Amino acid sequence: MTLNAACQSLECYNDLVTELNHHSYQYYVLDAPQISDGQYDVLYQKLLKTEAENPDWIATDSPSQRVGDQPLSHFESVTHRVAMYSLDNAFDDDDMQEFYQRIAERYPEQSLMFSAEPKMDGLAINLRYEEGVFVQATTRGDGKVGEDVTQNVKTIQSIPLKLSGANFPTTLEVRGEVFMSKSTFEKLNQQQLDKGDKPFANPRNAAAGTLRQLDSKIVAQRHLSFYVYGWGEVSEGWAIPELYSEMIAFFGEWGLPLNPNATVVEGVEGMAGYYEKMLQLRPSLPYEIDGIVYKLNAIQLQQQLGFTARAPRWAIARKFPAEEVWTELLAIDVQVGRTGAITPVARLKPVNVGGVIVSNATLHNMDEIQRKDVHIGDTVIVRRAGDVIPEVVGPVLSKRPDNTKLFSMPHYCPECGSEIVKELDKAVYLCTGGLFCPAQRKRALEHFVSRKAMDIQGLGTKLINQLVDEKLVNHPDNLYAMDVETLAGLERMATKSAQNVVDSIQDSKSTTFGRFIYSLGIPEVGEVTAESLARHFKNYEALSSATLEDLIEVNDVGEVVASHLVHFFQQPHNQEVIQGLFNAGVHWPEPKDIVVQEDSPFAGKVIVITGTLESMGRTGAKKLLEAAGAKVTGSISASTDFLLAGEKAGSKLAKAESLGITVLSEQQWLEMMPES
């Protein structure tokens, strides 16, 4: 029989699987191959030939099972049996000292040992083994629920499909980091460029993008790696050792890959020394790391310390300092946020910052640009810390050329052409086209349909996102053209639900002037201010044509709010949308004047209402108090005169008592109210 002839017995086949897995372990885990690639290929071809002739022999841990399965349509959600927690971060020596001191104070008699390992810049994965056989892999997700990526993780050569050795638990969940090495990342990006595709920004993004491929054959081609760092569920009755490092050593005996730079150190000095060592080694490592993870080595102490809501009290991630590089500032553009805030963005000559290719960085606001004295054309210092958005720290003045340009904020929004204005006494610039601006579209619609605005039931965030993404709705007035057939055609919308939404849209046409003003989403104009404006101006024409001086006369309206109102109603696009609402039939009765009772004990007083009132709702109480001359506000302050406290009054009651504010029960308030 020739060397690559198929096995004629099951025993021969099993021996072949064992031999190939041994050589894979030597190559991918220990980085110490015992045969050449050519010799491995001969054995592998023999395996494939044997399995083709004897498909019922195929073992679950056969190397052939790593090549990838049929593409998935989606990933299934999986609830973790043991939650996957995050880690608290330490950014300097003081943070580390505080972490150590908290533990040392609790165990003053003990010499505290910590496991120390590089913090891999990858993705957390939970691997489940049953009877030593790999059965499932799930992502961390939100810590409680992740996604099943078993097919993709099977392709990672360093992860054993079957545990070796003995004495492992019947059920074992192994946790670790999936990552992409620097050399693999460089090859992948070259392949992307050769195909004309966009390169990945960094190894972590490449690993994340790879692991979320629905076709595991693509994952198999990208050669991901894995290191163990912990565990989840372990069979009841299996004796977990006393030390974390001992458990990790067991994983290595069972064939799982361990980080060769992991070790155990003593006390805060040992942690500091390991940190400095890895900081020096970092550039030469074959993979990206962004810090060090320290864990108390004694498992009993870990259990005693326990967890906070999000992280273990016995572990911490010491982050490396932000990395800084120099590059050229080519231009400054502006971006429009969901709230209309205008943010300057630096367009940079692409540069590698901590393993990430950066071409854009935030400049925060105009005040920051002026404070840092940044000019277009400068050589600038760019900083990136972990996953934080890169920022421009400042210019390198010694390299400033003569032809640099100062940046000035544009006068008009790049998204919608509306006027850009600066908020008084703030560094923020705002687009004033709130009803029309594409960047603010979803937020404007969410506010417009909210309960205190037009109160359109059934139009939640998900449905609004669908309507905008499908280009069915651009502005609030478009909602009134919605029909049942169009809505029912959307994902997860039945005809009955669509009819309910359409009915609610039509019902909202009859509203109040105050609700309408509030629904427009004008900056700083809340529900109370909107009602004050409605009572003062009585109709839209008077409000929209009011001057700054006219508006400041209104209770609750200062110079800032008045300025926002003037700019908002001056924008032609906002006027068009409002006219569209009127054309659709939005209307309201004329607000009635409130006759203030001059002899009321509440005339001119500031009142806050909290808790549940038995005799009426808070809205009804508010109207009665306003008729009695009171100003009803939503928050407690030193200027508050009374707190009307119903049943189940909460934090406002405590704050009022601490400030010495008079608290009235519902009965006391009603007895003080003048007869109408």
Side-chain angles (χ1 to χ4, degrees):
M1 183 177 65
T2 59
L3 184 62
N4 62 348
C7 285
Q8 299 303 307
S9 69
L10 181 58
E11 183 181 2
C12 170
Y13 168 73
N14 288 335
D15 289 343
L16 183 59
V17 169
T18 300
E19 183 177 5
L20 283 166
N21 283 335
H22 167 76
H23 289 303
S24 292
Y25 178 78
Q26 293 293 131
Y27 185 93
Y28 291 106
V29 178
L30 300 183
D31 196 23
Q34 295 178 341
I35 60 174
S36 68
D37 289 351
Q39 289 171 309
Y40 182 94
D41 288 341
V42 169
L43 293 173
Y44 188 66
Q45 290 304 315
K46 181 177 180 178
L47 176 82
L48 295 181
K49 191 171 183 180
T50 301
E51 290 181 343
E53 294 178 6
N54 304 277
D56 56 322
W57 287 0
I58 298 176
T60 56
D61 61 329
S62 167
S64 67
Q65 301 306 293
R66 296 185 181 277
V67 298
D69 208 329
Q70 294 300 310
L72 299 170
S73 60
H74 66 285
F75 294 113
E76 297 288 344
S77 294
V78 177
T79 300
H80 298 303
R81 291 169 174 83
V82 177
M84 296 183 72
Y85 285 84
S86 300
L87 288 173
D88 286 332
N89 292 322
F91 294 98
D92 53 33
D93 292 340
D94 289 343
D95 290 344
M96 285 302 300
Q97 184 66 47
E98 183 179 338
F99 164 72
Y100 177 80
Q101 204 60 39
R102 282 200 307 268
I103 300 174
E105 286 175 0
R106 184 160 175 180
Y107 304 105
E109 305 297 323
Q110 300 200 33
S111 174
L112 298 176
M113 307 297 291
F114 295 85
S115 77
E117 57 199 32
K119 186 176 182 297
M120 307 299 298
D121 201 9
L123 295 93
I125 290 291
N126 185 76
L127 310 178
R128 186 173 179 85
Y129 289 85
E130 293 177 358
E131 303 289 347
V133 177
F134 171 71
V135 295
Q136 189 181 60
T138 50
T139 61
R140 179 183 179 276
D142 64 2
K144 295 180 180 178
V145 178
E147 291 182 314
D148 188 330
V149 288
T150 305
Q151 287 192 23
N152 290 346
V153 169
K154 266 188 179 181
T155 70
I156 301 175
Q157 295 281 353
S158 59
I159 294 177
L161 299 180
K162 188 175 183 181
L163 298 179
S164 56
N167 301 322
F168 43 77
T170 304
T171 298
L172 173 66
E173 288 187 342
V174 178
R175 288 172 178 176
E177 199 86 357
V178 169
F179 63 96
M180 184 176 285
S181 70
K182 293 176 182 176
S183 59
T184 301
F185 172 71
E186 290 168 4
K187 290 176 185 175
L188 175 60
N189 264 358
Q190 188 57 56
Q191 292 168 1
Q192 293 289 103
L193 293 169
D194 291 344
K195 291 187 296 183
D197 293 338
K198 182 180 178 181
F200 289 98
N202 53 57
R204 186 185 189 283
N205 283 2
T210 297
L211 207 59
R212 288 197 56 76
Q213 290 285 330
L214 293 171
D215 188 349
S216 58
K217 290 183 173 64
I218 296 174
V219 184
Q221 296 165 4
R222 293 189 180 174
H223 306 297
L224 295 173
S225 300
F226 173 83
Y227 280 146
V228 171
Y229 64 59
W231 59 94
E233 184 181 15
V234 177
S235 298
E236 286 188 24
W238 192 87
I240 293 175
E242 294 182 357
L243 302 178
Y244 169 90
S245 54
E246 291 175 345
M247 186 69 171
I248 295 298
F250 276 139
F251 289 144
E253 293 174 11
W254 299 331
L256 291 152
L258 313 181
N259 193 310
N261 287 296
T263 188
V264 175
V265 298
E266 182 174 359
V268 73
E269 295 81 10
M271 289 191 282
Y274 182 82
Y275 173 82
E276 291 301 328
K277 174 187 173 183
M278 294 311 301
L279 191 59
Q280 296 301 316
L281 279 177
R282 184 184 187 188
S284 62
L285 293 174
Y287 43 77
E288 293 287 349
I289 62 174
D290 58 5
I292 306 297
V293 176
Y294 298 103
K295 299 172 184 173
L296 197 58
N297 202 35
I299 292 175
Q300 183 180 3
L301 302 189
Q302 289 184 7
Q303 293 170 342
Q304 289 172 4
L305 289 169
F307 298 79
T308 66
R310 63 176 296 277
R313 294 189 177 93
W314 41 265
I316 199 162
R318 171 66 157 103
K319 303 301 285 282
F320 285 137
E323 295 196 50
E324 296 182 350
V325 298
W326 293 4
T327 191
E328 185 181 348
L329 176 58
L330 303 175
I332 298 177
D333 297 333
V334 296
Q335 290 181 345
V336 189
R338 279 170 55 89
T339 62
I342 308 294
T343 303
V345 177
R347 305 303 181 191
L348 307 168
K349 184 176 180 180
V351 62
N352 190 314
V353 187
V356 177
I357 304 300
V358 171
S359 56
N360 304 314
T362 182
L363 285 161
H364 299 293
N365 54 55
M366 192 67 192
D367 283 7
E368 280 290 283
I369 292 174
Q370 293 171 346
R371 184 182 68 80
K372 292 175 179 177
D373 188 29
V374 174
H375 295 194
I376 298 169
D378 270 337
T379 294
V380 293
I381 303 166
V382 180
R383 174 189 294 155
R384 174 181 171 267
D387 292 330
V388 177
I389 298 170
E391 68 167 335
V392 172
V393 178
V396 183
L397 294 176
S398 62
K399 297 180 71 67
R400 173 170 285 171
D402 296 331
N403 60 344
T404 61
K405 298 178 182 177
L406 289 172
F407 169 75
S408 58
M409 188 65 70
H411 297 295
Y412 299 99
C413 173
E415 296 284 346
C416 70
S418 298
E419 186 182 1
I420 291 175
V421 298
K422 183 179 184 296
E423 287 207 80
L424 295 175
D425 302 323
K426 292 184 181 179
V428 179
Y429 284 76
L430 290 173
C431 164
T432 53
L435 290 181
F436 183 85
C437 184
Q440 304 175 65
R441 188 164 288 161
K442 291 179 180 178
R443 179 182 178 276
L445 288 165
E446 288 171 11
H447 180 80
F448 182 83
V449 306
S450 63
R451 184 175 59 84
K452 293 182 179 180
M454 299 302 282
D455 193 22
I456 300 177
Q457 302 294 316
L459 264 177
T461 300
K462 289 183 179 179
L463 183 52
I464 286 173
N465 288 343
Q466 278 188 278
L467 292 171
V468 173
D469 293 343
E470 296 289 338
K471 296 182 171 56
L472 296 172
V473 172
N474 292 326
H475 322 118
D477 54 325
N478 298 150
L479 291 171
Y480 293 91
M482 280 289 101
D483 55 54
V484 174
E485 184 179 2
T486 301
L487 282 173
L490 296 173
E491 185 180 353
R492 297 181 180 177
M493 276 296 287
T495 302
K496 184 176 180 181
S497 299
Q499 184 65 63
N500 290 338
V501 172
V502 169
D503 290 345
S504 188
I505 291 172
Q506 295 305 310
D507 290 344
S508 75
K509 289 180 180 180
S510 178
T511 185
T512 67
F513 190 22
R515 277 180 172 270
F516 180 78
I517 296 168
Y518 177 67
S519 76
L520 300 179
I522 303 167
E524 306 288 342
V525 177
E527 184 187 7
V528 173
T529 302
E531 290 292 343
S532 297
L533 289 165
R535 288 198 299 271
H536 184 89
F537 289 101
K538 296 186 172 57
N539 61 70
Y540 172 74
E541 290 71 22
L543 172 62
S544 60
S545 60
T547 65
L548 193 71
E549 291 73 21
D550 295 334
L551 289 160
I552 290 175
E553 292 179 4
V554 181
N555 187 26
D556 285 335
V557 176
E559 190 176 352
V560 172
V561 176
S563 176
H564 283 308
L565 286 160
V566 168
H567 286 293
F568 182 88
F569 288 119
Q570 282 178 345
Q571 303 311 307
H573 291 316
N574 290 340
Q575 295 171 15
E576 290 170 17
V577 174
I578 291 170
Q579 188 57 52
L581 291 168
F582 293 154
N583 293 342
V586 174
H587 65 280
W588 55 82
E590 185 173 322
K592 296 179 180 178
D593 289 329
I594 295 177
V595 179
V596 176
Q597 296 158 293
E598 300 294 342
D599 59 345
S600 164
F602 301 112
K605 302 297 183 182
V606 178
I607 299 180
V608 175
I609 306 172
T610 189
T612 303
L613 303 178
E614 290 184 9
S615 59
M616 68 189 76
R618 283 194 278 185
T619 301
K622 177 185 171 186
K623 289 179 179 178
L624 286 176
L625 282 164
E626 287 174 341
K631 176 182 177 182
V632 181
T633 64
S635 58
I636 296 283
S637 69
S639 62
T640 304
D641 295 298
F642 296 104
L643 174 70
L644 170 52
E647 292 294 322
K648 298 181 181 178
S651 59
K652 289 179 181 177
L653 176 58
K655 186 173 182 180
E657 290 173 340
S658 69
L659 292 173
I661 293 166
T662 302
V663 178
L664 300 176
S665 68
E666 183 176 358
Q667 187 59 38
Q668 289 172 323
W669 165 61
L670 290 172
E671 289 173 357
M672 290 174 66
M673 283 292 291
E675 295 183 8
S676 55

